[in-house]
Amino acid sequence: MQDRLKELQEEALAKVEAAVDLKELNDIRVAYLGKKGPITEVLRGMGKLSAEERPKMGALVNVVREKITEVLTGKQEKLEAAAVEQQLASETIDVTLPGRPVKVGNHHPLTAVVEQIEDLFLGMGYSIAEGFEVEEDYYNFEALNLPKGHPARDMQDSFYITDETLLRTHTSPVQARTMEQHKGKGPVKIICPGKVYRRDSDDATHSHQFMQIEGLVVDENIRMSDLKGTLEVFAKKMFGEDRQIRLRPSFFPFTEPSVEMDISCFICGGKGCNVCKKTGWIEILGAGMVHPNVLEMAGFDSKKYTGFAFGMGAERIAMLKYGIDDIRHFYTNDIRFVQQFKRA
Ligand code: 2U9
């Protein structure tokens, strides 16, 4: 029995020594130390031994079991450490490798232009005011000197929602509401960017929805020269310091007098080209002195207060600035279009 135990020990230790992975090691543990293993069998056979031999043999079995267990544990630790080493080696990160480029998005050209214009006016002390896209007929028309039946209402065919509500046709109701909130006291100095809607058929230069930016200044002693100076600063900052402006008489129901502003062509410098249609001038925006009726309707004393206002289509400004030939590009979500306007 003693010899059999020694034999088992040597056999087990040799197998442990030769084991190459944890699974094999576990199989050896089960085979030699498990309930159905040879050592358990030796223990079962101890009943046949004399009372004198039994404790000696019992002690020997324990020594053999402990030896095998000790060698198994040692080998297990070695194999586990080797497995960790191998995993670390295979998962090593080379920190010197160049990183994968991150895809960076960019502003839509319309957003870029609107933000540029906003910044420009914020720098001149204006605040930004925003309002509702679904407006009351009163603020969209009535308060702007366009009573029901006024012929100019036809100029802006509108998307009516009910008899008294519509998608705003311009951002002017924002100014009308802001003035009303001032309760007859100046100064008011705001720009109002926002989406507007008109029942136009879409083509290269018309869109049923577009972005307007309007401005309004109301205070004592506001004059046409203030408007002219403001527009000149705007033109130069937006289209280059060499720009000249000219004002042509026009008509808007909410301003009197009304003007349209042209800038000297920034492509040909005024000589005449395709962009300025050989005139040397490009129409940029409309403007004027706020009509006394509009001031009074918003609660301002038109003898004490005067004001100027201007309005422009942001798409037109962006199309001119970036040489975009079709307004529909802004709204058809072709990523290739947007990606052309990446900042350097
Ligand atoms: C108030 C008083 C006056 C806003 C103005 C224009 C002239 C103008 C057009 C430019 C191109 C609209 O986008 S466009 O079609 N706008 O020419 N807008 S003065 O005048 C106001 C607004 C609000 C209370």
Side-chain angles (χ1 to χ4, degrees):
M1 207 172 253
Q2 221 167 320
D3 291 345
R4 173 73 183 132
L5 275 172
K6 275 211 172 130
E7 207 178 291
L8 281 172
Q9 178 175 324
E10 269 162 34
E11 213 179 278
L13 295 191
K15 283 191 178 166
V16 170
E17 177 67 31
V20 292
D21 60 29
L22 290 164
K23 161 140 190 1
E24 204 181 333
L25 210 59
N26 197 45
D27 290 346
I28 298 167
R29 186 192 304 276
V30 174
Y32 284 88
L33 304 178
K35 276 184 195 156
K36 290 178 188 157
I39 295 179
T40 314
E41 210 170 285
V42 171
L43 278 172
R44 278 201 201 105
M46 272 171 51
K48 291 177 199 145
L49 296 177
S50 66
E52 220 175 89
E53 274 180 312
R54 221 176 285 155
K56 279 190 204 152
M57 199 50 71
L60 188 62
V61 168
N62 278 342
V63 168
V64 170
R65 239 152 88 176
E66 272 163 25
K67 181 68 190 167
I68 296 174
T69 306
E70 182 195 314
V71 174
L72 269 168
T73 309
K75 181 75 181 201
Q76 183 176 342
E77 280 167 8
K78 259 194 207 162
L79 285 176
E80 277 172 355
V84 169
E85 280 301 317
Q86 199 184 355
Q87 193 181 1
L88 283 175
S90 69
E91 287 179 5
T92 300
I93 297 164
D94 182 352
V95 290
T96 64
L97 280 175
R100 288 200 190 98
V102 178
K103 277 191 183 164
V104 182
N106 58 287
H107 271 146
H108 190 279
L110 196 53
T111 312
V113 160
V114 170
E115 286 187 359
Q116 193 184 346
I117 296 172
E118 284 176 357
D119 285 350
L120 206 153
F121 282 100
L122 284 170
M124 291 199 269
Y126 286 67
S127 303
I128 296 172
E130 289 180 332
F132 310 120
E133 285 178 37
V134 175
E135 250 310 344
E136 291 173 33
D137 182 279
Y138 175 79
Y139 289 105
N140 194 78
F141 290 130
E142 212 93 9
L144 294 154
N145 207 25
L146 282 149
K148 284 207 165 75
H150 192 289
R153 283 196 183 209
D154 296 337
M155 277 161 48
Q156 304 174 345
D157 267 356
S158 325
F159 289 111
Y160 270 91
I161 289 161
T162 66
D163 280 352
E164 293 301 325
T165 52
L166 72 158
L167 292 179
R168 67 183 181 196
T169 57
H170 44 191
T171 56
S172 311
V174 181
Q175 287 104 295
R177 284 177 182 275
T178 308
M179 282 169 76
E180 207 178 68
Q181 284 157 13
H182 272 71
K183 300 195 184 304
K185 279 213 176 74
V188 178
K189 201 172 176 190
I190 51 172
I191 56 158
C192 307
K195 282 184 208 147
V196 300
Y197 304 83
R198 293 183 189 175
R199 277 171 75 145
D200 260 335
S201 299
D202 292 356
D203 61 24
T205 51
H206 297 87
S207 172
H208 63 281
Q209 178 224 293
F210 65 101
M211 188 86 187
Q212 234 187 19
I213 302 176
E214 291 192 324
L216 173 76
V217 176
V218 177
D219 207 347
E220 292 177 43
N221 299 317
I222 298 293
R223 302 181 183 132
M224 191 82 180
S225 53
D226 298 313
L227 171 63
K228 195 177 171 194
T230 304
L231 295 182
E232 194 164 356
V233 169
F234 167 74
K236 286 179 188 288
K237 289 248 162 79
M238 232 24 221
F239 292 101
E241 285 301 318
D242 298 342
R243 296 288 62 71
Q244 290 182 312
I245 65 163
R246 74 175 184 189
L247 302 180
R248 287 178 287 106
S250 187
F251 171 80
F252 303 110
F254 27 79
T255 48
E256 182 59 37
S258 302
V259 292
E260 265 163 304
M261 180 183 86
D262 299 336
I263 57 168
S264 56
C265 183
F266 54 90
I267 301 287
C268 63
K271 288 192 200 91
C273 68
N274 283 345
V275 173
C276 63
K277 300 193 191 96
K278 311 256 184 272
T279 65
W281 295 95
I282 302 172
E283 188 184 319
I284 293 289
L285 51 76
M289 300 305 290
V290 179
H291 197 292
N293 288 356
V294 173
L295 288 167
E296 294 287 342
M297 264 185 286
F300 280 79
D301 178 353
S302 63
K303 291 199 180 68
K304 188 173 170 200
Y305 284 101
T306 48
F308 69 72
F310 54 88
M312 67 192 100
E315 285 81 354
R316 181 167 166 74
I317 305 291
M319 285 167 84
L320 285 167
K321 216 171 150 55
Y322 296 121
I324 297 163
D325 61 0
D326 194 318
I327 195 169
R328 290 168 293 197
H329 285 313
F330 291 114
Y331 297 108
T332 39
N333 288 335
D334 187 334
I335 194 77
R336 293 169 304 176
F337 169 72
V338 181
Q339 281 172 341
Q340 289 175 65
F341 304 96
K342 277 206 162 107
R343 266 180 226 172

